[in-house]
């Protein structure tokens, strides 16, 4: 059991289990993209650990870059606009694999996918470390997902609770009260 800020978390997925599963996904991607020289785009901050492990498990030519997403409650019809900060690569004609830590409601990725499509990528896929199927509210589907988990808050392996907990090698799940 670990304490992050005021909450307690219990080990949920061990480091070795994660490593094995990420290796499987890397093998799938290597097979699917053998002649495509994909560009992986990791979404900071949460995806940096998964992205580093996934990228090193690839056995094909591939590039990686990272972005941050800024959300605005703007005047658009959706009331929610997402802008990529720091994306310098040309996406036109490229095979893009977006790398996320977790798809919760799917809101963040839904907006970013529109931007990638607008930039005329040849193809766009999503690789996520985690999904919470029970929480999904937007039409976003992961092409590669390491683990589906219950709708509870997790930290570790890059995911934080208010800034801390990212460096835990195991994924931890919040302990139920009482
Ligand atoms: P979405 O836009 O899919 O609702 O939210 C995705 C983002 O919410 C993730 O990239 C992550 O930053 C955050 N998030 C969602 N669920 C969790 C969770 O269980 N733990 C942590 N640490 N972050 C989460
Ligand atoms: Mg995130």
């Amino acid at each position: 059991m670990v304490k992050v800020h005021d909450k307690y978390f219990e080990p949920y997925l061990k480091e070795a289990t994660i490593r094995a599963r990420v290796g499987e996904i890397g093998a799938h991607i290597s097979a699917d993209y053998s002649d495509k020289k994909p560009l992986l785009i990791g979404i900071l901050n949460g995806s940096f650990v998964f992205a580093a492990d996934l990228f090193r498990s690839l056995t094909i030519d591939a590039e990686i870059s990272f972005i941050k997403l800024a959300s605005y409650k703007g005047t658009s019809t959706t009331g929610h606009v997402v802008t990529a900060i720091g994306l310098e690569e040309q996406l036109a004609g490229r095979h893009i694999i977006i790398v996320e830590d977790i798809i919760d409601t799917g809101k963040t990725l839904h907006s970013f996918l529109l931007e990638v499509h607008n930039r005329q990528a040849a193809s766009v896929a999503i690789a996520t470390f985690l999904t919470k199927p029970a929480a999904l509210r937007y039409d976003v589907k992961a092409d590669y997902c390491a683990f589906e988990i219950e709708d509870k808050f997790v930290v570790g392996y890059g995911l934080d609770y208010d800034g801390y907990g990212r460096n835990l090698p195991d994924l931890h799940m919040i302990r139920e009260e009482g």
Side-chain angles (χ1 to χ4, degrees), residues 70-105:
S71 311
Y72 303 96
K73 286 214 186 317
T75 53
S76 74
T77 48
T78 60
H80 182 82
V81 181
V82 167
T83 315
I85 302 171
L87 188 59
E88 280 146 19
E89 283 78 6
Q90 290 292 332
L91 303 192
R94 297 295 309 267
H95 294 280
I96 306 299
I97 303 174
I98 299 168
V99 182
E100 238 315 16
D101 53 356
I102 180 166
I103 300 176
D104 185 24
T105 65

Side-chain angles (χ1 to χ4, degrees), residues 43-96:
I43 299 181
L44 294 172
N45 293 324
S47 80
F48 81 105
V49 175
F50 174 52
D53 285 349
L54 180 65
F55 191 61
R56 283 177 299 173
S57 76
L58 298 181
T59 53
I60 56 170
D61 282 343
E63 292 179 81
I64 190 164
S65 188
F66 289 89
I67 59 162
K68 282 212 175 209
L69 297 180
S71 311
Y72 303 96
K73 286 214 186 317
T75 53
S76 74
T77 48
T78 60
H80 182 82
V81 181
V82 167
T83 315
I85 302 171
L87 188 59
E88 280 146 19
E89 283 78 6
Q90 290 292 332
L91 303 192
R94 297 295 309 267
H95 294 280
I96 306 299

